[in-house]
Amino acid sequence: MVMMWDLHDTSQPRQQLCGHSMVVTGLAVSPDSSQLCTGSRDNTLLLWDVVTGQTVERASVSRNVVTHLCWVPREPYILQTSEDKTLRLWDSRGLQVAHMFPAKQHIQTYCEVSMDGHKCISCSNGFGGEGCEATLWDLRQTRNRICEYRGHFQTVSSCVFLPRALALMPLIATSSHDCKVKIWNQDTGACLFTLSLDGSGPLTSLAVGDATSLLCASFNRGIHLLRVDHSRGLELQEVAAF
């Protein structure tokens, strides 16, 4: 079930969207906020009308256990990762697969699209350094793999593009079940900084807060507020936990 809430009235959900037969594992809102796409372990994607709460489209692909969804900025396309080790690009106009990227060797756990819509990243599960990488893809032209980011030792749970205001070079950040957040040079794949959140347990998600901060969720310690510091080069520091 998906519940929609009014931020200023949390007494009860504004809408309850029922349509999946198993746990909902992905959710993405269209750029104009008129539609919502959800994905589930039932191998199904549903497209909803936000105003009416009604299902607009339904699509199902065998063994496509959805792990994450991300809507491409200013486009009618939805990016989706799956336990079948693939990254799919869906056209919301009819909810059809527009492109399927080359399959990876491990389950794809998360995906994100750059603000200009030209590139996307996905990340892999794994253990002992096998798998455990993030991958940068060309989303607009060749749709080929551009770069890989290796250095985590357990499942990479999340990957995000960082704001260009943070550095002269384009950066991405990853979080992993190995309790580490890493910052990478997007173009070269070089790891620029590693922050170890000891005692946090597996890190489960990562999100950009503002121009200088990240939010990272963990199993044991809730949400960590991380700040990018340039006083001694590029560093990442934990400033609070909730």
Side-chain angles (χ1 to χ4, degrees), residues 116-225:
D116 61 12
H118 293 172
K119 296 179 177 67
C120 63
I121 44 177
S122 65
C123 48
S124 301
N125 80 338
F127 185 76
E130 183 68 26
C132 313
E133 81 275 1
T135 305
L136 180 70
W137 305 88
D138 185 327
L139 191 56
R140 280 297 181 91
Q141 298 178 350
T142 65
R143 292 182 174 168
N144 290 335
R145 184 178 63 189
I146 299 173
C147 190
E148 286 196 333
Y149 311 92
R150 296 180 177 273
H152 286 293
F153 288 92
Q154 294 188 42
T155 292
V156 181
S157 57
S158 189
C159 46
V160 296
F161 291 93
L162 297 184
R164 288 302 299 265
L166 283 177
L168 296 176
M169 69 194 80
L171 305 173
I172 70 165
T174 55
S175 63
S176 168
H177 289 186
D178 63 10
C179 307
K180 292 179 172 59
V181 178
K182 290 180 178 286
I183 295 179
W184 310 81
N185 182 313
Q186 177 184 299
D187 295 334
T188 67
C191 182
L192 304 177
F193 190 79
T194 300
L195 174 67
S196 183
L197 295 173
D198 297 330
S200 66
L203 304 180
T204 57
S205 63
L206 194 62
V208 174
D210 55 30
T212 61
S213 68
L214 294 170
L215 295 168
C216 181
S218 67
F219 266 34
N220 297 340
R221 293 178 53 207
I223 297 174
H224 306 256
L225 176 61

Side-chain angles (χ1 to χ4, degrees), residues 99-119:
H99 183 74
M100 190 161 69
F101 293 81
K104 299 282 290 178
Q105 295 297 310
H106 295 80
I107 290 172
Q108 298 299 284
T109 58
Y110 193 92
C111 57
E112 169 117 332
V113 180
S114 61
M115 287 302 296
D116 61 12
H118 293 172
K119 296 179 177 67

